[in-house]
Amino acid sequence: MDRWFDGTAKTCANPSGVALYTAHPDRYADMPYRRTGRSGLKLPALSLGLWHNFGPDRPAETQRAILRRAFDLGVTHFDLANNYGPPPGAAETALGEALRTDFARYRDELVISTKAGYLMWPGPYGEWGSRKYLLSSLDQSLSRMGLDYVDIFYSHRFDPETPLEETMGALHSAVQQGKALYVGVSNYSAEQTREAARILGELGTPLLINQPRYSMLDRRPEDQGLMDALDELQVGSIAYSPLEQGLLTARYLDGIPEDSRAASDSPFLNTDALTEDLVGRLRTLNGIAASRGQTLAQMALSWVLRGGRLTSALVGASSPEQLADSVAATRNLDFSDDELARIDAVVKQ
């Protein structure tokens, strides 16, 4: 795998002079693939999330280079939502352009997912979990990406005011209409996931996967019983924010860089979160990672993937090199009991 970490995607020229992407022939040689629950679908241990870094505020060539490097390294799953950007919808539009220019002939080798649940347009039908919103949003997502179907369509969040039967019925309809192959939920608790799985099972469309937030610093899926529920239901799992918006990287070990997410007072990470105590613990974790021959980010990804319980972990990337560094985590997914105890002692102190 190492020889591809500093390489670039191969291209050739068509008659119009535009460079065409050709995927690396050994793209499946090193990436581990894990079965999603009891389904026939396997996902790469690391999947590419397009939550940030895909929109008009980023160079289009950088976005294309990230997608190309991902696929060359065996990352076959691209994860989106209707509101990813900024602005909302921009990530799907960017992927649609990449699908047309680079990946059209590789569509059957890709797993593309999208979601609906958060605000997309004004008025009472532009968010949450109604049948009208979910199916309208899916049609818009397919149009932006230039696709006939997505591989996985998610309910992005539980709607406390809409009967779960309606929300799950809309997911079932998406499959029946040929607009999605599988369905999932995100940000659903253990109890909500059990009920969603029951309803979908009665409809004949199994629940494929749950996408929770999960990291060394955020263990709610374990502590609140979600992982146990998924094991019992034989439903897959894919973690978002396994690097805690960049906290579990080397980026903040020596302060807050001016161009960092924390410095921008992002709603997902701000300067108030970076206390002296937290930075000290991050530095200790970084030392544990170094003793494993990994960066802090690589160890954080290895940790969520340890033991094979999680199907996949979502990573973002601002450059092809950053993505390649994340993929390198898959080369060391094993932890000794001592390493796990040391990590727990730091995180839970």
Side-chain angles (χ1 to χ4, degrees), residues 38-341:
R38 59 179 177 179
S39 77
L41 183 68
K42 292 183 178 181
L43 294 180
L46 288 181
S47 299
L48 179 63
L50 278 70
W51 184 9
H52 301 295
N53 303 319
F54 284 82
D57 61 335
R58 306 282 181 168
E61 280 306 309
T62 300
Q63 297 175 46
R64 289 181 66 187
I66 292 169
L67 293 168
R68 290 173 168 186
R69 179 66 67 84
F71 193 53
D72 278 348
L73 293 173
V75 179
T76 55
H77 179 208
F78 299 158
D79 178 80
L80 303 99
N82 57 358
N83 63 328
Y84 287 178
E92 290 178 330
T93 299
L95 181 62
E97 181 61 25
L99 290 172
R100 285 187 291 273
T101 57
D102 291 334
F103 295 100
R105 58 180 168 152
Y106 300 112
R107 174 63 182 99
D108 291 338
E109 297 183 45
L110 292 171
V111 174
I112 298 172
S113 60
T114 196
K115 314 175 195 73
Y118 288 92
L119 182 64
M120 274 301 289
W121 60 85
Y125 319 121
E127 62 179 326
W128 293 106
S130 71
R131 179 180 182 86
K132 178 172 178 59
Y133 167 68
L134 290 175
L135 294 180
S136 297
S137 177
L138 178 56
D139 284 342
Q140 293 182 23
S141 292
L142 293 174
S143 177
R144 283 190 287 267
M145 291 186 283
L147 294 175
D148 296 323
Y149 71 94
V150 291
D151 296 277
I152 308 171
F153 181 47
Y154 287 87
S155 168
H156 205 167
R157 60 173 170 171
F158 178 80
D159 183 348
E161 296 184 353
T162 297
L164 194 55
E165 288 81 0
E166 179 176 340
T167 301
M168 296 302 105
L171 297 186
H172 171 66
S173 291
V175 173
Q176 294 297 104
Q177 294 169 6
K179 297 176 181 179
L181 301 185
Y182 302 92
V183 298
V185 296
S186 182
N187 301 304
Y188 275 52
S189 69
E191 180 181 355
Q192 292 161 355
T193 300
R194 290 181 189 278
E195 184 64 6
R198 182 192 66 79
I199 295 168
L200 285 168
E202 292 178 355
L203 292 171
T205 297
L207 177 63
L208 175 78
I209 195 167
N210 186 308
Q211 185 177 132
R213 180 167 183 157
Y214 179 49
S215 73
M216 284 196 297
L217 299 180
D218 188 346
R219 304 189 181 190
R220 285 175 293 178
E222 291 182 1
D223 298 339
Q224 298 177 3
L226 177 61
M227 297 301 288
D228 289 338
L230 297 178
D231 288 343
E232 294 168 15
L233 295 167
Q234 293 183 279
V235 168
S237 53
I238 181 169
Y240 73 87
S241 293
L243 301 180
E244 281 297 313
Q245 298 295 306
L247 281 180
L248 289 169
T249 70
R251 191 157 178 75
Y252 299 105
L253 297 179
D254 298 308
I256 303 176
E258 292 184 2
D259 62 344
S260 67
R261 186 169 297 162
S264 70
D265 279 330
S266 161
F268 305 106
L269 179 65
N270 56 55
T271 54
D272 293 339
L274 285 159
T275 63
E276 288 187 16
D277 174 69
L278 176 58
V279 172
R281 286 189 287 159
L282 292 176
R283 288 172 178 161
T284 302
L285 289 172
N286 189 57
I288 298 173
S291 71
R292 289 171 46 83
Q294 292 184 311
T295 64
L296 176 56
Q298 289 168 348
M299 185 179 77
L301 294 172
S302 296
W303 186 90
V304 298
L305 292 167
R306 74 198 187 284
R309 196 178 191 188
L310 193 77
T311 310
S312 184
L314 283 164
V315 295
S318 58
S319 69
E321 294 74 23
Q322 185 184 48
L323 177 69
D325 183 76
S326 294
V327 171
T330 62
R331 292 181 291 182
N332 185 10
L333 300 179
D334 296 325
F335 288 80
S336 68
D337 291 341
D338 178 65
E339 287 173 331
L340 292 174

